[in-house]
Amino acid sequence: VTNDMDLLANQPAMHAALLTPQGKILFEFFVVKAAGGYLLETGADQAAGLAKRLAMYKLRAKATIEHTNERYRICAAWGAEPPRLDATVVFADPRSAALGWRAVFDGATIAPTRTAAAYDAHRIALAIPEGGKDYDFGDAFPHEANFDLLHGVGFEKGCYVGQEIVSRMQHRATVRKRIVRVAGAAALPVSRPDIKIGAVVIGKLGSVEGKQGLAMLRLDRAIEAIDKGE
């Protein structure tokens, strides 16, 4: 995975990705220390695939990988202090302190005090992308999804699948596209349309909340258009 498991000796959780050999993100997830092992939090629709993919690399290691969607529930909260919840584990979001806190519950579904839309609005305001909404799995490099800016890549760790491409992008500064925050004069469409300068496509819109949103943009073309007053 892209991040260094040794980080968990000094912090409760980390953010990471599992890549294709070509360096594209297949899965994004959190790794959390837990009794007897680790919990991995990913999108509910991605959990079975992540467990299956990790099992490919287990070989003869004495490890058990289980898909536990039915057992755990996740809650996100934000504020200066951690929420007082009867949870298995509560941890600060390792991507950004401004994102707040995440809690893993073992048991029945938690009745939320806010909706998932409220969380999306919170992360959009902070320019925090989410896989499947702001970039497509299998189609984005970690740098394009801002993993290098959000503590999702360990550049000093040992080898991992796709590392050569990620390292090359880091040291050659060859990142042409990134997810950035955008704003419109009116409410933005939720259909993830292309973003164009004239007839030229320079990116794609992702998550939106009213007039605010996130978009994967070709930075050079966007800057060129701004310089031209387009």
Side-chain angles (χ1 to χ4, degrees), residues 96-205:
S96 167
L99 268 171
W101 309 83
R102 301 184 77 82
V104 181
F105 290 86
D106 187 348
T109 302
I110 303 302
T113 57
R114 296 184 181 181
T115 64
Y119 174 71
D120 276 339
H122 178 58
R123 68 173 183 81
I124 289 169
L126 296 171
I128 308 294
E130 186 173 310
K133 296 181 179 179
D134 303 301
Y135 66 89
D136 294 324
F137 289 111
D139 192 47
F141 295 107
H143 284 78
E144 294 176 345
N146 297 338
F147 271 65
D148 57 321
L149 305 179
L150 298 172
H151 314 294
V153 181
F155 292 105
E156 304 298 325
K157 68 164 288 183
C159 294
Y160 57 87
V161 176
Q163 183 189 36
E164 289 185 10
I165 291 88
V166 175
S167 179
R168 191 179 307 132
M169 294 182 76
Q170 174 73 6
H171 295 293
R172 295 184 181 179
T174 55
V175 185
R176 294 184 177 181
K177 296 189 295 181
R178 276 198 187 273
I179 292 174
V180 298
R181 192 171 61 180
V182 296
L188 297 172
V190 298
S191 57
R192 297 186 67 189
D194 291 336
I195 296 175
K196 299 179 179 180
I197 296 294
V200 179
V201 176
I202 67 166
K204 181 180 283 291
L205 190 64

Side-chain angles (χ1 to χ4, degrees), residues 50-144:
L50 176 58
K52 182 178 180 180
R53 177 67 63 154
L54 289 173
M56 293 171 53
Y57 299 107
K58 190 178 72 168
L59 302 178
R60 296 183 180 181
K62 294 180 180 179
T64 301
I65 299 170
E66 295 180 306
H67 172 210
T68 57
N69 259 16
E70 300 305 317
R71 179 175 175 182
Y72 292 101
R73 298 291 181 268
I74 306 298
C75 175
W78 44 100
E81 298 295 328
R84 296 181 179 180
L85 300 170
D86 184 19
T88 301
V89 61
V90 177
F91 60 93
D93 194 308
R95 295 171 295 178
S96 167
L99 268 171
W101 309 83
R102 301 184 77 82
V104 181
F105 290 86
D106 187 348
T109 302
I110 303 302
T113 57
R114 296 184 181 181
T115 64
Y119 174 71
D120 276 339
H122 178 58
R123 68 173 183 81
I124 289 169
L126 296 171
I128 308 294
E130 186 173 310
K133 296 181 179 179
D134 303 301
Y135 66 89
D136 294 324
F137 289 111
D139 192 47
F141 295 107
H143 284 78
E144 294 176 345

Side-chain angles (χ1 to χ4, degrees), residues 1-3 14-19 24-29 50 135 142 147 152-153 160-161:
V1 301
T2 56
N3 219 340
M14 72 177 195
H15 187 231
L18 184 64
L19 310 181
K24 301 291 185 73
I25 300 171
L26 276 177
F27 302 95
E28 69 165 339
F29 48 90
L50 176 58
Y135 66 89
F147 271 65
V153 181
Y160 57 87
V161 176

